[in-house]
Amino acid sequence: MKNWKRAIALVASGAALLSFAACGNGGNAEGGDDSKPTIGFVAVGPEGGFRTANENDLQDAFKKAGFDLIYSPTQNNDQQKQIQAFNKFVNDEVDAIVLSSTEDSGWDESLKKAKEAEIPVFTVDRDVDVTDPEAASAIVSHIGPSNEWAGEQAADFVNENFPDGANGFILEGPAGLSVVKDRQTGWDNAINDNVTVLESQSANWSTDEAKTVTAGLLDKHKSENPQFIFAQNDEMGLGAAQAVEEAGLKGQVKIITIDGTEAALQALVDGDLSFVIEYNPIFGEQTATAVKDYLDGKTVESDIVIDSQTFDAASATLAGDAGTRAYLARLIPDHPLLSLDGAGGPSPGPHAPSAIVAQCHEIITIQALRQNDDTERTHCRDEGHHDRVPGRQGPGRCRSSSLPR
C-alpha cells in the first residue's frame, strides 16, 4: 500500500502549500478588475483531492472565460464564514455568486438578500435545502455530478458481488450535508433486501478517523462476518483499507469509495480497494458557461448534471496508463510534476516524488526572497548605494559602491 499512502502524504503537502500561498491572496472583493464581470465564489477550501481539483478547475475556467472571480474559501467547513462571505458579496454588488456550501441548510436569509439585490446564484457540487420560495428563486442552476447516482453504483456493486446477501458497514461524511444524504438515498433505493448494513458511522471525510472507526466496527461485529464497506469518499475508504489490512482481512472485505482521486485509483490497482465511483470534479467550464449565458440573457437549465464513471482494478490501470486522470493535477505547463494551487502558487502533482515536494517549497521560498530583494533593492538605491547584495539581510545588505543621489 506504499504507493497510495505516498499519494495521501502529497495531498497533505499540497494543502499546506495552498494555505501558505493563500496568505498573500485573501478572498475579498476589493481590488477586482472593473472591466470584467465580477463573480463571488463562496468555496469550501482545502478538504482533499476532489476539492482541490474542483476549486482549481473552477477558478481556471472563470479566468479563461474573462471573469474576475473572487475566491473566498472557508476553513474546517465553517458555515458561518461562508455566510459572511456570501453576504459580503451581496453588499459588494457582484454580478453573480457561485456557492459550494459546507451545509445544505441555513441559506434562506442570505439567498433572499441576493434575490432582493438581483444577484443570481449558482450552486455547485453540493446542493442546498431551501424552504423559502423567494430564497429558492435566487438560485438559477445547480451544477455538479449526481450524488444519488454515485450511491446507486455502490449498491449495484454490492448486489452483483453478493447475490446471496452480505453484511457490511457504511462510512458517512459529516452529518447535515446534502451530499451525504443524497449518496445514502441512492444506496437505499438500489440495495437488495438481503444486504444488511450492520452499522453506519460518520468518519468526517477523514482517512485517520475512518481507520479508527473501521477498526472498532470490525472488532465489534467480527462474529457477523462483515464482507463490505461502503465509504462515501476516497479518503475514508483508504483509512478503512488500512484497518482491514491490519485486521488481517485484506481480500475478504470489499471496499467501495466515491470520488476517483489518484490515491484511490492507485489503491484500487494495488488491491486495497475494490470499486471506485468517480465524482467528477471538472465542471468549471460548464459553470462559467452557465453564468455567462445567464448574464447574457440566455436560458440556463436548472440542473446541470456532470457525467462520471466507475472503476475496477482493470479500468483504473487503463486510465492510469492512458493518462486520462490528468485532471487530478492542475499542471504548470513547464513542469509535468508540479501543479497550481488555489492561490496560483505551486504544489505537487499526484505523481511527484519527495524531491518535487521539496522543490515546491523551494519555489515558494525563492518567490518570497525575490519579493523581499525587490523591496530591499529599492531601499539600497534610495540610500545612494549601487545595489543590494542578494539574499543578505540587515547591515551589509547594500553594495559598498555608491551612486550619486
Side-chain angles (χ1 to χ4, degrees), residues 18 22 41-63 69-75 77 82 98-102 124-126 279-285 287 327-328 330 340-344:
L18 173 62
F41 181 17
V42 181
V44 175
E47 189 187 50
F50 167 85
R51 189 64 53 198
T52 299
N54 175 246
E55 295 191 352
N56 285 349
D57 181 64
L58 283 161
Q59 292 177 84
D60 291 348
F62 274 88
K63 181 179 179 180
L69 184 78
I70 309 299
Y71 175 63
S72 182
T74 187
Q75 294 179 342
N77 287 314
Q82 282 202 318
V98 174
L99 171 62
S100 181
S101 61
T102 59
V124 295
D125 177 27
R126 300 167 179 170
Y279 189 77
N280 188 352
I282 302 304
F283 48 86
E285 183 178 352
T287 306
Y327 69 73
L328 293 167
R330 310 305 299 153
L340 293 175
D341 63 24

Side-chain angles (χ1 to χ4, degrees), residues 313-367:
S315 56
T317 301
L318 289 173
D321 291 343
T324 57
R325 316 316 296 157
Y327 69 73
L328 293 167
R330 310 305 299 153
L331 298 178
I332 292 176
D334 295 335
H335 205 312
L337 292 177
L338 297 182
S339 63
L340 293 175
D341 63 24
S347 63
H351 302 290
S354 57
I356 296 300
V357 178
Q359 187 173 352
C360 288
H361 288 284
E362 182 181 359
I363 290 171
I364 291 175
T365 302
I366 290 171
Q367 288 173 339

